[in-house]
């Protein structure tokens, strides 16, 4: 992924991502961009090149070789603050772009062309020889001609298989909460991963289970909605530590009856050696080469903890993108409102610290968010079934609720990028998971 600093114009990030994908580059790279004019460009040429003239674009490469952009490969060029390898600097002359636009096309396209041209210089391309010039020009035209594409992916599987972890790992942001408890995800959550001209929209669904309460029915409806036509692709996530169950096989065979391509991620491979994963792969093999009907498109062993094959899975899903533009703005990573994300952050910490002490979990309702204060003031109700559960959530001397609040506050501050004052109030609402009014208030 490219990180751009300096005078970044709209669309540069998109173009950088397209270049990244077109050249098969991996890792994280940073580029500093300066947008200037004839006078400043002349001064820049004089000071850095000893040339008294203006030019349309200048590139200052920082690297003498191009390989995967990791700290290991570039220990001296890695910027710890940006968490990326610094490629160099680009200066773009807007006056020159305006002149060239009169001959070649629109000003926006010329500015984009100069950015792409400068980027390719940073990545080792040149045009001293005609063959090199032709090669560079071909890449430039490919990048500038790229149209936006997207794909909707439904992520399904048994409870606690790691569906949310996979979505978070690919998106690069926490859009779904994670805990050791099954059925952590209660709603269909949309995570968005945009790189260059391609966008994956994830529908992260609750785990497959039999509904017993109104909350369960809501969760089941979320799953069926994701699988009932909203998705272009289905990703089934299996827990390698539990093998492959009859329910897993049934889920996969049912999904193979639809038109959507189906991928399987065998997750948590860091907890199982090859001997543990092989029986699962062996069992899935007949479903990958069926003589009748559709087959699994690919099976990918993954680990969110080590990052194993997350990039392989992401690349496979990006390849499923279709023409038609983006479904969401490229700078968004979820469609959920801020209040929902705040509530989920609190619920995640409650699940994490309480573990099995509260058998049916908790609900969280955000009562107030005062954004015009410093710090931002947020108050939430933590909802439980019984008075005894309330005492557990509060803890001795209020220690547990303070612990939950402190951990949730840190996550919310990272999400909002500001200081937060968080108040949590524990409320007893008997049978809340069967009460439509409370579920609606919580946001389900």
């Amino acid at each position: 992924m490219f990180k751009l600093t300096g005078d970044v114009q709209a669309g540069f990030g998109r173009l950088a991502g397209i270049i990244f994908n077109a050249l098969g580059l991996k890792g994280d790279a940073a580029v500093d961009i300066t947008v200037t004019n004839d006078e400043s460009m002349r001064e820049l040429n004089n000071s850095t090149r000893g040339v008294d003239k203006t030019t349309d674009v200048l590139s200052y490469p920082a690297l003498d070789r191009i390989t995967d952009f990791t700290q290991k490969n570039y220990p001296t060029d890695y910027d710890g603050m940006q968490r990326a390898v610094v490629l160099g600097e680009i200066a773009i002359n807007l006056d020159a772009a305006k002149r060239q636009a009169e001959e070649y096309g629109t000003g926006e396209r010329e500015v984009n062309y100069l950015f792409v041209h400068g980027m390719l210089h940073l990545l080792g391309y040149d045009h001293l020889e005609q063959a090199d010039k032709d090669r560079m020009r071909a890449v430039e035209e490919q990048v500038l001609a790229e149209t936006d594409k997207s794909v909707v992916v439904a992520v399904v599987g048994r409870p606690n298989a790691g569906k949310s972890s996979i979505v978070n790992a690919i998106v690069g942001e926490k859009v779904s909460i994670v805990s050791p408890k099954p059925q952590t995800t209660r709603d269909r959550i949309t995570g968005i991963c945009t790189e260059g001209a391609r966008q994956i929209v994830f529908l992260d669904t609750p785990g497959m289970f039999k509904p017993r309460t109104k909350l369960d029915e809501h969760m089941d409806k979320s799953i069926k909605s994701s699988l009932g036509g909203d998705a272009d692709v289905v990703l089934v996530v299996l827990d390698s530590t539990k093998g492959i169950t009859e329910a897993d096989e049934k889920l996969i065979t049912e999904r193979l009856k639809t038109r959507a391509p189906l991928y399987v991620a065998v997750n948590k491979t860091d907890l199982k050696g090859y001997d543990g994963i092989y029986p699962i792969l062996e069992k899935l093999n007949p479903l990958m080469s069926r003589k009748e009907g559709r087959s699994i498109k690919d099976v990918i062993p993954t680990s969110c903890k080590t990052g194993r094959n997350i990039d392989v899975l992401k690349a496979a899903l990006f390849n499923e993108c279709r023409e038609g533009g983006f479904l969401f703005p490229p700078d968004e990573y979820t469609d959920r409102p801020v209040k929902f994300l705040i509530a989920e952050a609190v619920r995640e910490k409650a699940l994490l610290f309480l573990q099995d002490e509260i058998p049916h979990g908790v609900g969280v309702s955000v009562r107030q968010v005062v954004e015009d204060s410093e710090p931002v003031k947020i108050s939430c109700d933590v909802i439980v079934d019984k008075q005894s559960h309330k005492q557990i959530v509060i803890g001795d001397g209020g220690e547990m609720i303070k612990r939950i609040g402190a951990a949730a506050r840190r996550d919310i501050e990272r999400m909002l990028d500001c200081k937060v004052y968080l108040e949590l109030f524990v409320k007893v609402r008997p049978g809340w998971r069967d009460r439509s009014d409370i579920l609606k208030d919580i946001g389900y």
Side-chain angles (χ1 to χ4, degrees), residues 111-311:
V111 171
N112 288 341
Y113 165 75
L114 295 180
F115 170 75
V116 173
H117 188 84
M119 279 292 298
L120 292 179
H121 275 309
L122 296 186
L123 295 168
Y125 281 74
D126 217 322
H127 43 71
L128 297 177
E129 303 291 337
Q130 187 61 44
D132 294 332
K133 184 177 181 179
D134 292 344
R135 186 170 70 101
M136 188 172 184
R137 188 62 184 172
V139 177
E140 290 168 348
E141 290 301 323
Q142 176 188 347
V143 171
L144 292 170
E146 189 74 47
T147 58
D148 293 336
K149 303 173 184 177
S150 61
V151 64
V152 178
V153 180
V155 187
V156 297
R158 303 297 295 171
N160 210 33
K163 300 178 295 296
S164 297
S165 296
I166 281 182
V167 172
N168 291 342
I170 293 178
V171 172
E173 298 282 354
K174 182 178 283 189
V175 295
S176 296
I177 68 174
V178 178
S179 89
K181 282 191 173 183
Q183 298 176 21
T184 300
T185 300
R186 287 180 176 163
D187 203 5
R188 188 178 74 170
I189 296 173
T190 304
I192 305 158
C193 176
T194 305
E195 292 185 7
R198 298 181 295 178
Q199 182 178 85
I200 306 171
V201 178
F202 288 101
L203 307 180
D204 180 17
T205 61
M208 311 293 285
F209 65 101
K210 184 177 181 179
R212 293 187 295 273
T213 65
K214 286 187 180 295
L215 176 57
D216 291 348
E217 290 172 3
H218 172 82
M219 294 161 68
D220 189 52
K221 184 179 179 181
S222 293
I223 299 169
K224 290 176 179 176
S225 176
S226 296
L227 298 176
D230 292 349
D232 302 314
V233 173
V234 175
L235 172 63
V236 177
V237 181
L238 303 180
D239 183 347
S240 66
T241 66
K242 296 180 180 178
I244 180 168
T245 66
E246 289 185 13
D248 293 325
E249 290 189 74
K250 181 180 178 181
L251 171 63
I252 292 170
T253 53
E254 285 296 315
R255 289 308 96 213
L256 288 175
K257 295 176 183 178
T258 68
R259 293 183 178 181
L262 188 143
Y263 290 82
V264 176
V266 182
N267 200 30
K268 303 184 183 180
T269 56
D270 55 291
L271 301 177
K272 298 289 286 186
Y274 179 76
D275 290 343
I277 300 170
Y278 181 77
I280 300 175
L281 302 179
E282 191 175 36
K283 216 166 186 180
L284 289 172
N285 189 55
L287 296 174
M288 292 187 67
S289 52
R290 302 169 82 197
K291 294 182 179 179
E292 296 182 5
R294 299 178 63 252
S295 301
I296 296 173
K297 195 156 186 180
D298 201 1
V299 177
I300 303 172
T302 58
S303 168
C304 297
K305 185 175 182 179
T306 66
R308 178 187 181 187
N309 285 338
I310 294 298
D311 59 338

Side-chain angles (χ1 to χ4, degrees), residues 40-61 89 91 93 117 121 126-128:
S40 297
M41 186 64 88
R42 183 181 293 275
E43 293 175 1
L44 195 57
N45 268 308
N46 268 308
S47 63
T48 62
R49 301 171 62 212
V51 177
D52 185 27
K53 68 174 184 179
T54 188
T55 50
D56 53 8
V57 62
L58 284 176
S59 297
Y60 301 94
E89 303 175 32
N93 184 351
H117 188 84
H121 275 309
D126 217 322
H127 43 71
L128 297 177

